Amino acid sequence: LAFLCYPGAQANTRAPPVPRSDLYNSWKALAVDQGTVETPLLGAWAEGTGERYGQICDVYRTPQNARDPNFQNEDAFPGCVAIWLSEAQDNFTVGDLPANQQNNFQNTQHYKVSWNYQGTGLKARSLPRAPQDFNPVCYITSNEEGEMTLGYEEGNGDRLLPCPGANGGPPFSEEQLIAANQTGAEGQALLEDYCGACYQSVCSANNARRPRDCGGDRQGGVEVGQGKGDDNVVQMVRQVGPAYHCHMTMADDGACDFVQYDQHEFSREYNMSSAVYCGWERISELQITHCDCTRVAGTANGCGRREGLKMALKGVACGNCNNVNQDTAYDQIFGTRGSKGADQYDGTCAAATDTSLSEEKRYYMEMMCSQGLFCRNNNLNGDACRFHCSLYPSDPKCPPTEEDEPDAEGEATAATMERSLLDAEMTAEDAVVGERGEESDVAGELYGEYSEVVSGGDEQSVTGVNRMGRGRKLLLL
């Protein structure tokens, strides 16, 4: 069945009034949480058109324009996270976006529970269960003949996979979809059940192990709203359940305002419910798999290895960082050793935050998280390995430096143990530069990706801990 763009598509519709989702309530509560006296938090939740709440997190970047007087306080944390949440019953949904914005709105997946953080649920290298692990995002769409279908929208992936589609899936009829749409909360629950069945079937049929990799053109995948070239395109009829978008920055000096307003509210017309969380590290509270990143105010995107590593160590894969493979990061965050297809790097980024481990073991896991992202092969002179070794010179895989040479008494120098671009003992000036994502004088944003797996992980583990020495401070946490 060919899906083509056509002028007479059915207009975007809304769901009947239904209660707000648990996700809406959870993210809103986090946004308005003021924290404690010891650790005050700042954030904002907005509904409607054209909000500009990013200014709450840092000084508005245009000096000639007055800052909004409602935002009096500066937060104490670098950067921020901005999210947009579209619910099926809202006045503004994904279907109200310009046609060229609808297909790339969904750029992450929210999970309910994950194995490495909650002890059950989502695990890399196996398809998450719906609805136990997460609620998939689905859209009801219409083709050029006006035929309605329900399809699964890949989070930070490529296409919408319709059911039944090229690879089968439950053949929900147009009558079923229309009937469910007209019966309020009961019908909404039924459509969400349909969505879970559609997701599970199309992704399983394609042997997918990540919910963002369930298929392309050959599996019946289509674009929503607008495509390119020979893309098969369908038109939005309505959402099924919440859809969402995440973008963050580690910088201040107006970067949060730029991300929240310029990149999304203004240029993309993201006029659905939204939140700003001051302090980018709060991203770990949202329980999402991916988020896009902007390095500095005034220039969209631009994050690199440094930001991608720091995000992975907070449990989120960067969706647009240069030279950081988001699938590799996903496996190293949500994977578990011993799973089919797993390697020695699976789960290392999550283990680096496991407080039940010793500090030496957590440091080792942090180092392996970086090694797995940037230095899996043996090309130690390559840019990616050089970047990793500049951060973790004590990694036994890294070539010895002059600082590694023993002194006259045969002891390793203190510099070997303490050298790091992201050490907690950076000077205040260096810390500001690091958070803004500017290049350091030791290693800039180097380029290259590698996928080969290092051998001898267990033996290296013992050697690594011994070489690093005891009392080593964790670098990024």
Side-chain angles (χ1 to χ4, degrees):
L1 178 65
F3 291 82
L4 302 172
C5 185
Y6 69 102
Q10 182 171 346
N12 178 58
T13 61
R14 330 249 169 243
V18 294
R20 287 295 188 183
S21 67
D22 291 340
L23 181 59
Y24 176 99
N25 294 325
S26 172
W27 281 357
K28 183 176 182 178
L30 287 173
V32 300
D33 181 9
Q34 297 181 357
T36 64
V37 174
E38 294 78 15
T39 309
L41 299 175
L42 278 178
W45 182 267
E47 313 272 5
T49 303
E51 299 91 354
R52 195 165 190 165
Y53 288 116
Q55 296 179 44
I56 195 172
C57 298
D58 56 22
V59 175
Y60 182 42
R61 70 180 188 285
T62 308
Q64 64 267 30
N65 292 338
R67 192 170 185 228
D68 189 322
N70 293 317
F71 305 138
Q72 298 293 333
N73 299 319
E74 295 280 333
D75 76 297
F77 307 102
C80 74
V81 184
I83 60 162
W84 289 263
L85 177 62
S86 172
E87 298 220 288
Q89 71 271 32
D90 287 348
N91 291 327
F92 191 99
T93 67
V94 176
D96 293 298
L97 291 170
N100 64 351
Q101 298 293 336
Q102 294 174 12
N103 193 62
N104 61 8
F105 176 79
Q106 181 69 22
N107 74 339
T108 184
Q109 292 283 0
H110 170 263
Y111 60 87
K112 298 177 181 178
V113 287
S114 67
W115 192 269
N116 287 342
Y117 295 104
Q118 286 83 31
T120 186
L122 179 149
K123 269 197 303 189
R125 303 187 186 274
S126 61
L127 200 63
R129 304 165 300 167
Q132 297 95 325
D133 301 339
F134 84 128
N135 288 321
V137 175
C138 289
Y139 301 147
I140 297 175
T141 60
S142 180
N143 66 6
E144 64 174 348
E145 287 83 24
E147 299 169 334
M148 292 171 55
T149 57
L150 179 141
Y152 162 65
E153 176 75 357
E154 295 174 318
N156 215 42
D158 186 26
R159 301 299 173 91
L160 180 133
L161 281 300
C163 286
N167 273 14
F172 302 115
S173 68
E174 184 170 317
E175 290 74 19
Q176 286 177 294
L177 299 178
I178 292 175
N181 189 45
Q182 295 174 340
T183 53
E186 181 180 345
Q188 177 67 21
L190 185 59
L191 285 174
E192 291 178 6
D193 286 344
Y194 291 170
C195 175
C198 179
Y199 150 77
Q200 210 77 51
S201 62
V202 296
C203 293
S204 297
N206 297 328
N207 297 315
R209 63 184 183 88
R210 301 185 191 95
R212 81 175 206 93
D213 292 328
C214 291
D217 289 338
R218 294 183 180 181
Q219 291 77 37
V222 299
E223 301 282 8
V224 178
Q226 182 175 309
K228 298 178 181 178
D230 297 331
D231 287 340
N232 293 326
V233 179
V234 294
Q235 306 302 315
M236 177 81 75
V237 173
R238 91 161 179 88
Q239 284 180 224
V240 175
Y244 31 83
H245 184 94
C246 177
H247 210 110
M248 57 148 285
T249 180
M250 298 182 186
D252 288 318
D253 297 330
C256 190
D257 179 42
F258 177 79
V259 165
Q260 188 268 340
Y261 184 75
D262 297 71
Q263 275 194 266
H264 296 88
E265 293 282 350
F266 177 73
S267 63
R268 297 189 190 180
E269 302 180 32
Y270 278 17
N271 296 324
M272 55 280 293
S273 300
S274 61
V276 170
Y277 306 92
C278 299
W280 76 267
E281 293 186 355
R282 294 193 68 190
I283 197 169
S284 61
E285 301 174 33
L286 301 180
Q287 294 186 198
I288 54 176
T289 58
H290 297 75
C291 191
D292 290 345
C293 177
T294 284
R295 194 175 188 185
V296 293
T299 302
N301 309 321
C303 292
R305 291 194 179 100
R306 187 183 312 279
E307 292 86 359
L309 174 59
K310 294 175 82 172
M311 288 175 66
L313 289 166
K314 289 299 179 184
V316 179
C318 182
N320 68 341
C321 287
N322 297 324
N323 306 299
V324 180
N325 186 298
Q326 61 180 297
D327 292 334
T328 300
Y330 177 88
D331 290 344
Q332 292 186 199
I333 296 166
F334 298 104
T336 56
R337 295 191 68 173
S339 298
K340 183 178 180 181
D343 57 43
Q344 63 176 319
Y345 300 110
D346 276 39
T348 53
C349 300
T353 65
D354 185 351
T355 56
S356 69
L357 301 178
S358 67
E359 184 169 313
E360 288 84 359
K361 186 65 173 178
R362 290 173 64 201
Y363 173 80
Y364 174 74
M365 291 298 179
E366 182 186 291
M367 182 188 73
M368 291 298 287
C369 173
S370 174
Q371 187 188 106
L373 289 174
F374 309 121
C375 196
R376 286 181 172 234
N377 73 356
N378 292 316
N379 182 15
L380 299 182
N381 291 321
D383 289 343
C385 278
R386 286 165 52 204
F387 174 81
H388 163 72
C389 291
S390 70
L391 298 181
Y392 301 92
S394 54
D395 184 350
K397 184 176 183 178
C398 295
T401 66
E402 292 182 2
E403 293 174 331
D404 287 325
E405 295 299 325
D407 59 20
E409 297 181 1
E411 298 293 334
T413 64
T416 301
M417 297 299 178
E418 296 304 327
R419 179 171 147 246
S420 168
L421 299 181
L422 299 177
D423 199 304
E425 295 179 350
M426 289 190 302
T427 66
E429 180 180 357
D430 287 340
V432 172
V433 171
E435 295 300 347
R436 290 176 183 172
E438 296 171 5
E439 295 183 1
S440 75
D441 58 350
V442 180
E445 286 303 321
L446 308 175
Y447 299 93
E449 286 186 26
Y450 304 97
S451 59
E452 296 179 22
V453 177
V454 174
S455 61
D458 291 337
E459 180 179 352
Q460 187 182 30
S461 173
V462 175
T463 307
V465 172
N466 289 339
R467 179 177 173 183
M468 287 182 292
R470 298 188 179 275
R472 174 81 189 201
K473 290 185 177 180
L474 293 167
L475 304 184
L476 301 179
L477 301 175

